[in-house]
Amino acid sequence: MVPHLITALTGPINELEQRILESMPAIERWFRLEWMEHTPPFYCSVDLRNAGFKLAPVDTNLFPGGFNNLTPEMLPLAVQAAMAAIEKICPEAKNLLLIPEKHTRNTFYLTNVQRLMQIFTLAGLNVRLGALDPEVTAPTQLPLPDGSELTLEPLLRTRGRLGLKDFDPCTILLNNDLSAGTPEVLQNLHEQYLLPPLHAGWTVRRKSLHFKSYEEVAKKFAKLLGMDPWLINPMYAQCGQVSFSEPGGLECVQGNVDALLTKIRRKYKEYGINEKPFVVVKADNGTYGMGIMTVRDPKELEDINRRTRNKMSVVKDGQAVTEVIIQEGVVTHEQVNAAVAEPVVYMIDRYVVGGFYRVHAERGVDENLNSPGAGFVPLAFEPSPQLPRPGEKPGASAPNRFYMYGVIGRLAMLAAAYELEATDPNAEIYE
């Protein structure tokens, strides 16, 4: 199924698409030079929003689930990228230990784990699953929808190494975002490669720092293309002391919402955009679409109901929300089967390996789609979406549109590389 893009065929997005296609050699050279200086995250996924007048990342996940939503045709790309990533890190690798999320009864998530195991097995590694859950004390079978099973095994820690019984891995791949904190069993592993590093987990990571890094990347990229960075960059603000349960706990949020809406209105006026501006308030650390609300007027924060306060107070694993990012809202003007959709781009190492549309029939163009009821439509373009077609009219070619998504996705991945360098606790050792 080819998703139907209802984005208007005129305006900045098509100008941006045309400029990106015309500048492809310069863009790819720029990325190559950046990757000589910076190490990409091992893998990541990026949620994009295409407003027709603006295309921007709104979230970057460094522990991506959802690999099961990529089409089988994209598997060779993922395997090649995985081979390249492993070769750089541990060329002699034989064994890979994959550590999934604790809530491993979710069959959609387990199918993602199955796909990850398939990718790294085809990349030439022995792959086994280790459980962070201390209640897993013996090999445990987890049934999958296709009738097969995954075997989850208890972790075995010996001095500076982590493995399983009779299994000593060179590399440990986390598919657990460490929202609940960093388990002791993962600390001080000096003899093995832990990917992504511990400081990529939500114990340390903050969305505001990521978007600060992205702002820097977007400015560099916009200078290369001679364009306004706002067309690819969502403005943001951050509040470090908030409480959704106490009176006056949202004063900082209200002030920043007001200021950000004023900035957005100014930009809309500059570009002649008739949309109603809005912002998205999110927990500064966290994932799974939790702790998110859309605000169109600062007054809305004065009388939010108890249900919304409770929803915003905690994120995954019951972590209290005390810091938020206020992000410029980007509407999505893409639809699949008359339902609102947003593209999600997947990368391993520095390579785009695929993507899909997150679709939600019950959500509006200015709402969070990463919520219960969302569906996924693979980007199953014919022919391959990875190869752009220079010379075609903007908006006329799905591969060209997907190439543009891949460029913006890689900008977010580069921002994540900047971000991880800035928060690396061992950075000073090497300076």
Side-chain angles (χ1 to χ4, degrees), residues 4-7 50 332-336 339-341 343 357 401 405:
H4 173 53
L5 308 183
I6 65 158
T7 312
N50 181 356
T332 178
H333 280 318
E334 302 208 16
Q335 290 191 355
V336 176
V340 175
Y357 275 95
R401 181 58 49 90
Y405 292 161

Side-chain angles (χ1 to χ4, degrees), residues 19-35:
R19 196 168 293 192
I20 282 176
L21 288 167
E22 287 170 353
S23 309
M24 204 192 326
I27 289 169
E28 295 305 328
R29 176 179 181 272
W30 182 81
F31 272 122
R32 283 195 299 273
L33 294 174
E34 286 288 334
W35 294 132

Side-chain angles (χ1 to χ4, degrees), residues 335-379:
Q335 290 191 355
V336 176
N337 296 338
V340 175
E342 66 186 10
V344 185
V345 175
Y346 274 65
M347 289 156 283
I348 295 176
D349 195 61
R350 58 195 180 96
Y351 305 102
V352 174
V353 299
F356 54 80
Y357 275 95
R358 181 182 287 118
V359 182
H360 206 307
E362 293 163 25
R363 291 292 169 112
V365 296
D366 60 353
E367 292 183 293
N368 169 40
L369 305 189
N370 188 10
S371 58
F376 305 96
V377 177
L379 285 163

Side-chain angles (χ1 to χ4, degrees), residues 240-253:
Q241 289 293 325
V242 301
S243 171
F244 284 90
S245 53
E246 293 173 24
L250 297 180
E251 282 180 11
C252 171
V253 181

